[in-house]
Amino acid sequence: MFALLLGLGCTRSECSRPEYDRPECRVQAENELARGLSAEGVDVRFQAVGAADAQSWDALGRVENLSTGELYARVGTLGDFRISLETDQMVELLLVLDNVDPRIPELDGQVSQTGLRRELELVLMPGVTWVEGTLPETLCSGAFRLAAVGDIQTNPLQFRRIVEELHAEYDRSEAAGAPLLGVVLLGDISEHSLAEELQEVLDMLVSSPVPAAVLPGNHDVYNSRDAVFNRVVGPGNLSFDLCDAHLVLLDTGSGRLAPSVEGRLPELIESDQRFLVAGVHHPPIPGWTGAGWGDEVGASSLLAELASARADLLMAGHVHQRLEFDDGPIPEVIVGTAGADQVEVEPDYGFLRLDFQEALDWCFVPVPAAGGAGVSRPPPPDCSDTPR
């Protein structure tokens, strides 16, 4: 999948002096960071769920050797995951896994679990060892929910309130028989694309009850000399299944897709799952070129592919409001409401709830600023109203 992009577009020679504000160079970075060698020489690779061959890999997370000696792997997707570890000798390895759903059953070699993080003590024999997690069937046997929001920027304190509200949303979802399975962050989680800003958000997500899938916005990719987002967070392009939904989250931080990603849109979008949901940072709405896209062609191409696949919903951020558009080829919702500045006396903060039932419904969960009553205006409706 994304590993195949190493030979396309932004080739190694083209990026020998890479500019990471170019989306093609970030594709190369996310592929390189999804594979690594441990200090013991173990070849570690993120793989697609169901992969049987460890010779290739998939940019579905990032791998890092920690200064403390452990091998760290942050899962970039929601739900199921798969990692291959290959060695030619017996090796003892401590693997730290992050962003793993707490409801996934205990993994082989697991010695501790704290929230979304697990530690595994592994004894690897020569050959390939697979580390994989699978959601319990009961979580995918009926309705389920996701949360989605974008644009934190200079207001991480408000986003902390949203993370706290996710615990209440988790309880509400359990009571409704539709478990909350994750949160999607739609970009601009930082203001100046600094590593410490990105890490601050990841540190907040440690206390989240569910894992997060994160894509970059323009504020996350300003740094042309370092692939900061990919190095700290992980891949910005993700295509994966969650229960009977297929999610396609794409890096539009530079106002366009990487050419190699755009050329593979049909493959990334194609799915036999019941629901298809896409997420980007810049809203690809006809006539909204000034809202971030470099040209209308790329935005129109994405909309055409999603319409052809009969996508259920396209989510976006960038605009610091909540807006809904039903007059295009597919429904689009903007929720740049995670904390970034809004031109409102009472800012309209909160997140989108996606309710996967017989059909896909969505509504808005307000999370007022500290000391504020918040505002409530359509669309989309507040979840206290009747969902669409």
Side-chain angles (χ1 to χ4, degrees):
M1 295 182 72
F2 280 116
L4 299 177
L5 299 179
L6 285 173
L8 299 174
C10 185
T11 64
R12 290 186 180 275
S13 58
E14 183 180 349
C15 285
S16 59
R17 296 180 63 184
E19 296 176 353
Y20 291 108
D21 53 357
R22 295 168 53 198
E24 200 67 67
C25 290
R26 294 197 298 275
V27 169
Q28 176 178 312
E30 65 188 25
N31 275 279
E32 292 179 345
L33 292 166
R35 176 190 180 188
L37 281 178
S38 75
E40 301 82 3
V42 179
D43 187 349
V44 185
R45 309 182 183 198
F46 271 92
Q47 304 282 359
V49 173
D53 185 356
Q55 297 307 303
S56 61
W57 72 98
D58 215 326
L60 296 172
R62 73 172 182 87
V63 176
E64 176 187 359
N65 283 299
L66 301 179
S67 58
T68 51
E70 299 98 334
L71 180 72
Y72 174 87
R74 185 180 189 279
V75 179
T77 57
L78 308 174
D80 302 351
F81 68 91
R82 190 165 172 81
I83 299 172
S84 65
L85 303 96
E86 186 170 13
T87 179
D88 58 5
Q89 59 184 333
M90 188 181 78
V91 172
E92 294 184 3
L93 179 70
L94 180 60
L95 175 63
V96 179
L97 288 176
D98 208 354
N99 200 43
V100 176
D101 195 303
R103 294 161 291 190
I104 287 178
E106 182 175 321
L107 306 174
D108 291 342
Q110 181 173 311
V111 294
S112 70
Q113 176 178 342
T114 305
L116 304 177
R117 178 168 292 191
R118 307 190 188 201
E119 291 190 359
L120 282 61
E121 291 182 353
L122 303 173
V123 178
L124 307 178
M125 304 305 293
V128 178
T129 299
W130 297 93
V131 173
E132 55 188 338
T134 304
L135 285 175
E137 291 185 6
T138 52
L139 293 179
C140 290
S141 60
F144 65 94
R145 289 176 177 173
L146 290 176
V149 69
D151 299 81
I152 302 168
Q153 294 180 226
T154 59
N155 197 352
L157 288 178
Q158 177 62 27
F159 182 66
R160 189 182 297 278
R161 294 175 61 82
I162 288 177
V163 173
E164 292 170 355
E165 181 63 24
L166 286 177
H167 288 273
E169 178 67 16
Y170 184 97
D171 294 339
R172 289 190 293 264
S173 298
E174 289 289 311
L180 181 68
L181 298 187
V183 56
V184 177
L185 297 187
L186 298 163
D188 277 4
I189 66 174
S190 69
E191 176 69 11
H192 302 293
S193 67
L194 298 177
E196 50 266 36
E197 293 178 299
L198 297 168
Q199 189 60 54
E200 181 180 11
V201 172
L202 293 188
D203 290 343
M204 290 182 193
L205 289 171
V206 169
S207 64
S208 170
V210 290
V214 189
L215 55 86
N218 52 298
H219 281 268
D220 305 317
V221 298
Y222 283 149
N223 192 329
S224 64
R225 302 186 64 181
D226 187 5
V228 182
F229 178 89
N230 307 109
R231 181 169 53 79
V232 176
V233 179
N237 295 286
L238 294 163
S239 175
F240 61 94
D241 292 338
L242 179 66
C243 297
D244 56 357
H246 183 64
L247 275 68
V248 182
L249 309 178
L250 302 171
D251 177 353
T252 64
S254 301
R256 62 188 188 279
L257 297 171
S260 56
V261 172
E262 188 170 18
R264 297 180 58 243
L265 280 177
E267 175 188 347
L268 299 174
I269 292 171
E270 182 182 6
S271 171
D272 58 2
Q273 299 288 51
R274 185 176 176 186
F275 300 103
L276 172 59
V277 174
V280 293
H281 179 65
H282 295 106
I285 297 170
W288 278 42
T289 307
W293 283 82
D295 61 69
E296 296 287 354
V297 175
S300 298
S301 175
L302 173 60
L303 284 175
E305 293 291 351
L306 290 171
S308 177
R310 298 186 178 181
D312 296 280
L313 179 66
L314 174 62
M315 307 176 295
H318 193 59
V319 180
H320 302 168
Q321 300 178 47
R322 50 174 167 134
L323 302 168
E324 184 170 350
F325 298 84
D326 282 322
D327 55 351
I330 60 171
E332 298 184 50
V333 175
I334 297 173
V335 276
T337 54
D341 184 53
Q342 298 180 7
V343 187
E344 295 287 344
V345 175
E346 290 287 352
D348 194 23
Y349 296 132
F351 59 86
L352 191 72
R353 174 199 291 168
L354 304 181
D355 214 340
F356 296 84
Q357 303 185 65
E358 291 299 319
L360 175 59
D361 292 325
W362 55 87
C363 57
F364 188 78
V365 179
V367 182
V375 297
S376 178
R377 62 180 186 274
D382 288 345
C383 291
S384 58
D385 301 328
T386 302
R388 55 171 291 125

